[in-house]
Amino acid sequence: MADVSERTLQVSMLVAFASGVLLGWQANQLRRRNLDWRKQRLQDKLTTTQKKLDLA
């Protein structure tokens, strides 16, 4: 097995942590956008249904 220096290990751990944070942040952004889209779609459906009920 190759001998890994302390510095290389620290840098690789830092890079792994930073990429994890970045990916988590991006995933949360996508999740938020999806939830906002679903909320808006349901609001629109509710509005059209209420209009149909008012006309009936």
Side-chain angles (χ1 to χ4, degrees), residues 27-41:
N28 194 40
Q29 291 268 70
L30 284 173
R31 182 178 156 274
R32 278 263 160 236
R33 197 173 304 145
N34 183 285
L35 288 175
D36 289 344
W37 173 79
R38 280 176 56 192
K39 180 181 176 183
Q40 187 60 46
R41 187 176 60 114

Side-chain angles (χ1 to χ4, degrees), residues 13-53:
M13 289 295 288
L14 180 66
V15 168
F17 178 77
S19 65
V21 167
L22 185 64
L23 282 173
W25 177 64
Q26 287 293 327
N28 194 40
Q29 291 268 70
L30 284 173
R31 182 178 156 274
R32 278 263 160 236
R33 197 173 304 145
N34 183 285
L35 288 175
D36 289 344
W37 173 79
R38 280 176 56 192
K39 180 181 176 183
Q40 187 60 46
R41 187 176 60 114
L42 288 173
Q43 284 285 14
D44 292 344
K45 279 187 175 184
L46 178 64
T47 303
T48 53
T49 304
Q50 285 176 336
K51 283 181 184 176
K52 285 180 184 177
L53 287 173

Side-chain angles (χ1 to χ4, degrees), residues 3-15:
D3 198 18
V4 180
S5 69
E6 182 82 16
R7 183 79 176 148
T8 305
L9 188 61
Q10 287 177 349
V11 169
S12 62
M13 289 295 288
L14 180 66
V15 168

